[in-house]
């Protein structure tokens, strides 16, 4: 069941799904969201996800919540005035399974940012205060104060660009340890500086009446982030991003506002693009590699020791990316090659084909090995398609195979019908859920166009959702 309301200030959406099982009984999920903008300065909203059944998770649901262990409840209020942005957020969770560790709650989080920019100079300042709460009260929690400032000088013209910048980061903590009933205060300050340079070359290729344009852009980046002891700094929300070509030119090693990574490195890269006669980008090629001048001593855990390196590699994988785009075809590929061990650690290919109107074919392949956590390793391929049978009827299929499991993890086949006022689909789906168990079911979905929808596929992303999104539902 789904209800929508559109007001002069924003929209509100209510979703509810009830699932009945012979063994587990009735299980319900509901979701209520609203986003309202009262004027050009003030906005507010909230999100409520609720599972009224303790210790149970519905095996299938028709809401946009999907499969998750923790259901979010949040409220925010924002004030924006040009480059001055402010938000106050209060965030809690419902975890029906009491044996699962609950995430930290924000009670509250206050974020403010301001940006001053010109043709030659950029200055960004971001301040954040968060009162973290551990719902189980069995580990630690506390308050965190964050201040990030970045100043950058830019010199550029038609053929080149130089960016020289300084990143100042401060974190202050007031912590409480439930195991020892002890209070602790700690802080860390850090200065990072960087120099990014690039040169752009361009030439015309092809016929004179329809010339294409090719660009070539070599890039060099130097980054120096000195080591700073962080043994007393907790981990509320730190994570380590997957290393890609774009990430190689980033100026921080970790996501979140807890961990400050140390490094001294030089990154070399080259980019080339092809534009057609209408100046549309058709091809893009990128390749780069990081060369480390110093070992890294700060890891995601925060247990730092300047005498024990957590990463002593002298260079990263060779990071490559290629993409092609046209009206009916698109292709994206990424490969991370380890020259030290002569092996590929990451390979990803995604293709979308639409050779004729209303025909869609999606192909993907993912190979990711030698991750920090072996559970993150993946080697799988997927194909999905949508074919019209006539003016009103379509058929869609999907098959996903996991080479590590040596088994299919998703199988979908379905039929859809649509006309000016109604859209209906019926599908059989067999998939591997988050509990590493196989689920299967028959799903019926329908939309009364310009009103609302009822029914949905299972919580996993699949080709049925792709067909469904073509409904272009409005208000």
């Amino acid at each position: 069941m789904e209800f929508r309301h559109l007001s002069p200030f924003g929209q509100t959406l209510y979703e509810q799904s009830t699932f009945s099982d012979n063994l587990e009984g009735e299980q319900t999920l509901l979701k209520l969201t609203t986003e309202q903008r009262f004027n050009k300065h003030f906005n507010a909203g909230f999100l409520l996800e609720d599972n009224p059944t303790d210790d149970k998770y519905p095996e299938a649901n028709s809401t946009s919540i999907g499969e998750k262990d923790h259901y979010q409840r949040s409220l925010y209020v924002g004030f924006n005035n040009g480059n001055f942005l402010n938000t106050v957020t209060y965030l809690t969770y419902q975890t029906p399974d009491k044996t699962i560790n609950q995430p930290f709650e924000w009670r509250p989080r206050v974020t403010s940012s301001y940006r001053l920019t010109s043709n030659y100079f950029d200055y960004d300042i971001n301040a954040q205060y968060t009162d973290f709460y551990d719902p189980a009260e069995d580990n630690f929690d506390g308050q965190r104060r964050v201040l990030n400032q970045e100043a950058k000088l830019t010199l550029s013209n038609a053929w080149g660009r130089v960016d020289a910048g300084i990143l100042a980061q401060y974190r202050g903590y007031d912590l409480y340890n439930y195991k020892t009933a002890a209070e602790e205060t700690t802080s860390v300050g850090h200065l990072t500086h960087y120099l990014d340079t690039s040169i752009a070359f361009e030439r015309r290729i092809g016929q004179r009446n329809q010339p294409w344009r090719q660009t070539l852009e070599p890039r060099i980046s130097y980054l120096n982030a000195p080591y700073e002891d962080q043994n007393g700094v907790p981990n509320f929300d730190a994570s380590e991003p997957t290393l890609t070509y774009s990430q190689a030119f980033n100026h921080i090693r970790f996501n979140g506002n807890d961990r400050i990574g140390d490094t001294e490195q030089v990154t070399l890269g080259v980019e080339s693009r092809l534009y057609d006669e209408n100046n549309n980008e058709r091809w893009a090629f990128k390749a780069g590699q990081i060369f480390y001048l110093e070992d890294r001593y700060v890891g995601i855990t925060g247990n730092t020791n300047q005498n024990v390196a957590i990463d002593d590699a002298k260079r990263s994988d060779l990071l490559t990316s290629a993409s092609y785009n046209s009206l009916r075809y698109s292709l994206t590929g990424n490969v991370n090659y380890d020259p030290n061990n002569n092996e590929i650690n990451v390979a990803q290919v995604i293709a979308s084909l639409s050779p004729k109107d209303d025909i869609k074919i999606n192909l993907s392949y993912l190979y990711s090995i030698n991750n920090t956590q072996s559970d993150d390793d993946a080697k799988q391929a997927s194909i999905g398609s949508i074919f019209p049978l006539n003016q009103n009827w379509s058929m869609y299929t999907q098959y996903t195979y996991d080479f590590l499991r040596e088994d299919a993890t998703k199988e979908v086949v379905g039929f859809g019908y649509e006309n000016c006022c109604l859209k209906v689909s019926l599908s059989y789906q067999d998939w591997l859920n988050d509990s590493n168990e196989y689920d299967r079911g028959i799903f019926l979905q329908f939309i009364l166009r310009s009103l609302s929808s009822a029914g949905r596929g299972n919580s996993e992303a699949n080709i049925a959702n792709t067909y469904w999104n073509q409904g272009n539902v409005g208000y």
Side-chain angles (χ1 to χ4, degrees), residues 318-336:
L318 179 61
L319 311 169
T320 64
S321 174
S323 63
Y324 170 79
N325 290 284
S326 70
L327 293 177
R328 294 191 178 274
Y329 305 96
S330 66
L331 174 68
T332 301
N334 299 286
V335 174
N336 290 3

Side-chain angles (χ1 to χ4, degrees), residues 139-190:
N139 198 351
F140 70 93
D141 57 23
Q143 297 80 45
R144 181 184 69 189
R145 299 170 301 279
V146 175
L147 182 64
N148 295 325
Q149 301 178 80
E150 182 174 6
K152 179 176 66 175
L153 179 66
T154 300
L155 301 175
S156 64
N157 55 27
W159 53 266
R161 180 185 178 100
V162 177
D163 293 321
I166 297 176
L167 176 61
Q169 301 174 85
Y170 169 81
R171 287 93 172 91
Y173 298 86
D174 295 321
L175 305 173
Y176 181 78
N177 191 318
Y178 288 99
K179 297 178 180 179
T180 61
E183 296 182 355
E184 182 182 357
T185 299
T186 187
S187 63
V188 58
H190 190 270

Side-chain angles (χ1 to χ4, degrees), residues 56-93:
K56 292 183 180 180
Y57 294 90
E59 295 184 18
N61 76 85
S62 63
T63 71
S64 58
I65 295 177
E67 292 187 17
K68 57 171 62 176
D69 295 327
H70 313 285
Y71 299 102
Q72 183 177 332
R73 290 94 178 270
S74 62
L75 170 69
Y76 74 89
V77 178
F79 171 77
N80 304 323
N81 187 8
N83 291 340
F84 184 43
L85 310 178
N86 305 270
T87 305
V88 179
T89 306
Y90 190 91
L91 171 67
T92 64
Y93 294 92

Side-chain angles (χ1 to χ4, degrees), residues 383 397-401 407-414 427-432 438-441 458 462-463:
I383 178 172
T397 63
Q398 181 173 0
Y399 183 81
T400 301
Y401 187 82
D407 197 4
T409 59
K410 188 178 299 181
E411 297 175 86
V412 177
V413 60
S427 63
Y428 171 80
Q429 304 178 22
D430 188 326
W431 74 98
L432 185 70
Y438 281 94
D439 279 336
R440 59 180 56 88
N458 71 72
N462 59 64
I463 196 67

